[in-house]
Amino acid sequence: MFTPAITGTGVFTPAEVITNDELVASFNAYVDLFNAEHAAQIAAGEVTALDHSSSEFILKASGIEQRHVVDKAGVLDPMRMYPRLAQRSDDEPGIMAEMALDACRKALAQAGRRGDEVDLVICAASNMERAYPAIAIEIQKLLGAGGFAFDMNVACSSATFGIQAAADMIRAGSVRRALVVNPEITSGHLEWRDRDCHFIFGDVATATLIERREDAAHGFEIRSTRCATEFSNNIRNNNGFLRRTRPDGMADRRDMQFMQEGRKVFKEVLPMVAAHIHAHLDETGVDPQSLRRLWLHQANKTMNDFIGRKVLGRDPEPGEQPNILQDYANTSSAGSIIAFDAYSDDLAPGDLGLICSFGAGYSVGSVVVEKF
Ligand code: COA
């Protein structure tokens, strides 16, 4: 058995940013247009008038201040409210592969490795741009990597589940060096016309290079991983390849985008995650007090504050549980890896930390790492 280690991470951040104020201005313009267009039905009680959103609410409810997106103009156009992307020919790289490539190259550079030294690519994300061939195989080709590649989707937990899959294969010796990459174009699945959730997501791509510890001079040894799932409909998206077969399948249906029961998610996922982390640490023989850092899924500040308190048994000190969600919003599976990438350099050899993601499924994945 070999010991797996994280030796590099990389983040691709789209250049375009939408602040809360910009988002709310466009949403409110959409609401005004909708209400004007449906004035007669609203007056007759047949249609419910839409309410304005507010930047104050967004910041207070989520902690989010802005988000990066692949196409700002399409999202902010009140007549459209979703990204507008150019059609690419089948001979050009897809947009997910292109974002992934940038993040992978940064992760490889950090570890001083080349693409042709990689023999496994897992593209782990909440949505795939097409059904097949796998996005991961396209990334493998663009990197000049060998071995094999495959896609996997466990929604917001995709990164940690991908890390567990790669780490297990490195332990067993079936692969030597793996890239787990998380290109998340969440602006494509978000319903920007829904006041309850229009502010929660952003776009990004992250990559994590995992190798045998014996091959690397420094990095983070993967001490252990733990994944769990429990079926729930409280975060759901019904879009899929059978869409056109259903009677109104191609209609502009709300359930073809991300939907959630935010309050229920809060109530059900938090205890699940806290119990999961405690059991994982217990099983690994790690005292929660000895964790120097928690890199948590980046969905909501209140959620992270709660989990930090539950895991550590006290209020986390500043810097112990860094958030990046104020700048990126919820980037689905990529959030905990952005936090790890930004806030792990200062740890000393022997320091312990925990990467944890959670979300739709429900799903929760955690990775205990030790700096060397
Ligand atoms: N602007 C202004 N007011 C808004 C609003 C908006 N954009 N959206 C909702 N409100 C109002 C609601 O109408 C409600 O008003 P009421 O009390 O008069 O009924 C009030 O604000 C509270 O709404 P609620 O939906 O209960 O807010 P919340 O405090 O639960 O926060 C979320 C909403 C989405 C931020 C929160 O539920 C959450 O983060 N949940 C978990 C998200 C998560 O992790 N999802 C995983 C995704 S992978």
Side-chain angles (χ1 to χ4, degrees):
M1 294 283 267
F2 299 93
T3 302
I6 295 174
T7 58
T9 50
V11 180
F12 165 79
T13 303
E16 298 189 348
V17 171
I18 301 178
T19 64
N20 287 347
D21 284 349
E22 289 173 312
L23 184 72
V24 166
S26 124
F27 180 85
N28 291 350
Y30 160 75
V31 165
D32 293 343
L33 282 170
F34 178 94
N35 288 346
E37 198 180 314
H38 296 89
Q41 292 118 299
I42 292 168
E46 292 156 13
V47 169
T48 309
L50 298 181
D51 291 323
H52 279 181
S53 182
S54 99
S55 296
E56 296 73 41
F57 172 84
I58 293 172
L59 185 62
K60 190 163 160 279
S62 68
I64 296 164
E65 295 171 25
Q66 60 167 45
R67 68 285 296 144
H68 291 260
V69 289
V70 293
D71 176 53
K72 178 173 176 170
V75 167
L76 291 186
D77 178 352
M79 306 289 281
R80 180 178 175 92
M81 307 288 277
Y82 56 92
R84 182 181 281 106
L85 300 177
Q87 181 67 52
R88 297 182 179 200
S89 85
D90 291 354
D91 297 322
E92 292 174 278
I95 183 166
M96 281 183 71
E98 190 175 87
M99 290 166 66
L101 193 65
D102 183 272
C104 287
R105 286 191 172 138
K106 287 173 179 155
L108 288 167
Q110 201 180 90
R113 293 286 176 202
R114 298 183 316 269
D116 63 5
E117 294 177 284
V118 170
D119 57 359
L120 168 64
V121 177
I122 302 177
C123 180
S126 290
N127 296 280
M128 296 300 161
E129 190 174 348
R130 61 171 177 265
Y132 41 80
I135 310 294
I137 303 176
E138 189 183 2
I139 300 166
Q140 175 197 22
K141 181 183 169 221
L142 292 168
L143 280 169
F148 62 102
F150 61 89
D151 292 347
M152 62 185 276
N153 174 358
V154 203
C156 288
S157 298
S158 298
T160 50
F161 278 56
I163 289 172
Q164 167 158 304
D168 282 349
M169 285 188 250
I170 285 169
R171 275 188 200 104
S174 57
V175 305
R176 183 149 196 144
R177 198 162 288 117
L179 271 166
V180 177
V181 57
N182 323 105
E184 291 286 7
I185 308 179
T186 61
S187 59
H189 82 182
L190 178 55
E191 180 49 89
W192 297 91
R193 296 170 299 180
D194 184 339
R195 176 178 178 257
D196 289 342
C197 68
H198 76 114
F199 52 89
I200 71 177
F201 282 115
D203 300 335
V204 83
T206 52
T208 306
L209 182 69
I210 305 167
E211 323 184 46
R212 292 180 186 171
R213 188 195 151 139
E214 66 189 50
D215 286 348
H218 47 80
F220 284 85
E221 179 180 315
I222 297 178
R223 286 274 301 267
S224 74
T225 58
R226 184 179 167 123
C227 297
T229 49
E230 202 178 296
F231 187 73
S232 166
N233 276 323
N234 289 331
I235 310 173
R236 191 170 169 120
N237 182 338
N238 283 332
N239 201 356
F241 81 105
L242 294 178
R243 182 170 184 175
R244 68 174 181 162
T245 67
R246 271 65 191 257
D248 63 344
M250 299 311 284
D252 180 13
R253 273 170 44 173
R254 178 63 190 89
D255 66 331
M256 294 297 161
Q257 283 75 246
F258 165 91
M259 296 188 298
Q260 78 166 352
E261 296 278 352
R263 286 268 150 186
K264 285 189 189 160
V265 173
F266 234 105
K267 253 182 81 182
E268 294 171 8
V269 168
L270 289 183
M272 181 182 170
V273 172
H276 175 95
I277 293 175
H278 276 299
H280 184 188
L281 293 175
D282 195 38
E283 188 180 87
T284 312
V286 168
D287 176 358
Q289 298 305 322
S290 66
L291 289 175
R292 278 289 318 279
R293 198 143 302 161
L294 300 173
W295 300 280
L296 299 178
H297 175 46
Q298 300 286 314
N300 182 291
K301 184 176 180 308
T302 310
M303 261 177 144
N304 284 4
D305 290 346
F306 178 94
I307 293 168
R309 270 199 304 278
K310 277 274 179 208
V311 171
L312 300 174
R314 57 175 170 77
D315 284 335
E317 300 288 329
E320 268 186 318
Q321 181 204 290
N323 283 332
I324 53 84
L325 62 88
Q326 64 282 2
D327 299 323
Y328 282 88
N330 180 348
T331 50
S332 198
S333 68
S336 56
I337 305 300
I338 307 174
F340 179 82
D341 181 82
Y343 297 101
S344 54
D345 282 356
D346 60 313
L347 295 194
D351 281 348
L352 292 168
L354 179 99
I355 303 170
C356 181
S357 54
F358 43 85
Y362 295 135
S363 57
V364 50
S366 48
V367 183
V368 177
V369 294
E370 179 177 338
K371 172 94 176 164
F372 66 92

